[in-house]
Amino acid sequence: MKRSLLAVLLLYAALFSNAQQQGTLSLAVNDTGTVISRHIYGHFSEHLGRCIYDGFWVDPGMNVPKKDRIRLDVVEALKKIRIPNLRWPGGCFADEYHWRDGIGLRNNRPKMINTHWGGVTEDNSFGTHEFLELCSLLGTEPYIAGNVGSGTVEEMSKWVEYLNASGETPMTRLRKENGRDRPWKVSFWGVGNESWGCGGNMTPEYYANEYRRYATFARNYPDAPLKKIAAGANSADYNWTEVIMKNIPRHMMWGLSLHHYTIPTGKWNQKGSATAFDEKEYFNTMKNCLFMDELITRHAAIMDKYDPEKRVALVVDEWGIWTDVEPGTNPGFLYQQNSLRDALIAATTLNIFNNHADRVRMANLAQTINVLQSLILTKGSDMLLTPTYYVFDLYQPHMDAKRVPLQIETPGYTNGGQQLPAVNASASINAKGKLCITLVNIDPANDRTIQASLPGLKYKKVSGSVLTGKAFTDVNTFENKKKVAPAPFTGAQLTGQALTVTLPRLSIVQLLLD
């Protein structure tokens, strides 16, 4: 009798434990009016460390495929994930950059000191023409950040004219003298960067007036309407958003930026290692990452007060994890390794952006190569793809697809008396009716099973890919480039209108249903 009772108790305990590991996913398939803009999947390349120089733009003698000095193996890797836009030249560097220093014969271009990043000499060999040639090779839209901090209205106005005007003007003549007859017609323009800090230490009231002045003289030319983006808030500075939305008319700005970095420790002076961290620090990092959802919700609510039609986009044009630099590297170059933890951050953040696609219509991961949360790391003529790169590969089906709103009930991931949702997700349907669901299990110890109902949807098959590893500290190295790489996923079962998915611990899963 005692054995029988014990067996029953163990059975109930097992069933209860199993229930605790399960969650549910409900999809609002009849509410798919919002498009997930492909521009959410944008990137950022600043004149910082080895992002431009020794990243995109290499020594003429380097033995890699090149066009001019643009590194083509890097270009091909980024083309495979269809990057939609690329932000340049900064960042803080943008507000000390004077565009005329970067045109004309390279031997005649003046040198400068990059006072923000490492105090190195900038030879201006990579300038406007080189950047726009890079964008052409990538098949991506340029996003240029103009100099408000140390520049002038005339300087930005003439840069727009140089790039976009087609008539006979001093700037178009100069452009033609430098080898470009046709205008590039660049749409995305940032009016300054971090004007609350490195871009001028302005108050929001002062910046709003400056923006109105600069934006007035940044002209639209034939077939080249500008999408002007105001320098927005630093993380949770909700007052900045309030003042900007109150003082800049809707018709004068296409978007308002937001910058937020995930700092593992939450301390800027000691951020934490990119590779040597324990579960407590991992948990804290994921908590700081998930704060992005609250940030967007609260900034969007302020924007809704002044712009209920949601005409102004929230542009999260700097985001990602920021750790201490790799030991032995220049502290001003911001070079850090990229782990499975970083991939989980990227996937979670992209899920958040997708779910807020009614307001978030553009974003830029910082940064593309060799800086912060990079997609690509290089060492001489060698290169590798980071775990974060593979996240952007897996999430491609969401680009320009219709968002499927969802509700997820997930078990908790607990550490040190605190709890986070173990699973997050986003979903979309493309023009052909194919459903994409991306799910992230941040729990380092437990697989999680999610039950999803698909009412009204008649799919016949499900396929998938998974990105995972043995530990959240796993990284790709030049000796082992595929330690963290996607693999086919077989943990999903489709039965009629019911979908069951078992997510491995520390995993990102992409499901495609058709």
Side-chain angles (χ1 to χ4, degrees), residues 209-274:
N209 286 336
E210 287 293 278
Y211 176 92
R212 292 164 68 121
R213 193 164 66 98
Y214 274 76
T216 297
F217 292 96
R219 306 290 192 187
N220 291 330
Y221 290 92
D223 302 318
L226 300 188
K227 295 176 179 175
K228 301 168 193 174
I229 299 168
N234 177 22
S235 195
D237 184 354
Y238 303 112
N239 178 64
W240 186 280
T241 298
E242 183 89 37
V243 172
I244 299 303
M245 291 300 297
K246 182 179 180 180
N247 288 285
I248 298 177
R250 303 296 77 73
H251 70 275
M252 291 192 73
M253 61 177 169
W254 179 84
L256 176 63
S257 75
L258 171 66
H259 289 182
H260 175 69
Y261 287 94
T262 296
I263 310 299
T265 64
K267 301 174 183 178
W268 280 94
N269 61 341
Q270 192 175 7
K271 303 176 188 70
S273 170

Side-chain angles (χ1 to χ4, degrees), residues 138-353:
L138 289 167
T140 196
E141 286 198 52
Y143 169 16
I144 289 179
N147 182 344
V148 171
S150 68
T152 66
V153 170
E154 180 187 23
E155 182 179 19
M156 184 183 293
S157 175
K158 288 188 173 178
W159 200 6
V160 175
E161 180 184 330
Y162 185 87
L163 297 184
N164 289 358
S166 56
E168 184 66 20
T169 76
M171 290 300 100
T172 59
R173 286 197 300 272
L174 181 59
R175 184 185 71 221
K176 292 173 183 178
E177 289 171 7
N178 290 327
R180 175 77 181 192
D181 289 335
R182 295 176 293 106
W184 286 280
K185 299 180 180 178
V186 175
S187 293
F188 291 114
W189 282 83
V191 182
N193 167 79
E194 294 190 357
S195 298
W196 39 263
C198 65
N201 284 302
M202 303 176 192
T203 65
E205 292 82 3
Y206 182 85
Y207 172 74
N209 286 336
E210 287 293 278
Y211 176 92
R212 292 164 68 121
R213 193 164 66 98
Y214 274 76
T216 297
F217 292 96
R219 306 290 192 187
N220 291 330
Y221 290 92
D223 302 318
L226 300 188
K227 295 176 179 175
K228 301 168 193 174
I229 299 168
N234 177 22
S235 195
D237 184 354
Y238 303 112
N239 178 64
W240 186 280
T241 298
E242 183 89 37
V243 172
I244 299 303
M245 291 300 297
K246 182 179 180 180
N247 288 285
I248 298 177
R250 303 296 77 73
H251 70 275
M252 291 192 73
M253 61 177 169
W254 179 84
L256 176 63
S257 75
L258 171 66
H259 289 182
H260 175 69
Y261 287 94
T262 296
I263 310 299
T265 64
K267 301 174 183 178
W268 280 94
N269 61 341
Q270 192 175 7
K271 303 176 188 70
S273 170
T275 55
F277 51 91
D278 58 15
E279 186 177 349
K280 180 180 178 181
E281 189 163 307
Y282 166 76
F283 181 93
N284 196 57
T285 306
M286 297 312 301
K287 180 177 71 173
N288 294 341
C289 164
L290 285 163
F291 182 58
M292 180 68 82
D293 187 65
E294 178 181 332
L295 274 178
I296 292 173
T297 299
R298 294 186 64 179
H299 282 290
I302 295 167
M303 296 175 76
D304 286 348
K305 284 171 51 180
Y306 301 94
D307 176 36
E309 299 86 6
K310 300 183 187 293
R311 289 182 293 175
V312 178
L314 184 58
V315 178
V316 191
D317 56 14
E318 289 189 30
W319 66 273
I321 183 172
W322 191 332
T323 69
D324 295 332
V325 302
E326 288 299 292
T329 64
N330 187 325
F333 281 13
L334 306 188
Y335 177 81
Q336 62 190 53
Q337 246 293 2
N338 193 287
S339 69
L340 178 58
R341 174 184 68 174
D342 301 351
L344 295 163
I345 287 168
T348 297
T349 303
L350 290 173
N351 280 342
I352 291 169
F353 292 162

Side-chain angles (χ1 to χ4, degrees), residues 43-61:
H43 295 280
F44 174 34
S45 290
E46 184 170 5
H47 287 238
L48 196 175
R50 296 192 302 113
C51 186
I52 298 296
Y53 299 99
D54 201 32
F56 281 117
W57 189 250
V58 296
D59 186 274

Side-chain angles (χ1 to χ4, degrees), residues 413-448:
Y413 162 40
T414 302
N415 181 270
Q418 300 183 75
Q419 188 174 90
L420 299 173
V423 179
N424 61 81
S426 65
S428 65
I429 292 179
N430 70 12
K432 296 182 179 180
K434 181 175 285 190
L435 176 66
C436 176
I437 306 173
T438 47
L439 302 111
V440 182
N441 178 10
I442 67 172
D443 193 318
N446 298 294
D447 297 351
R448 300 295 190 177

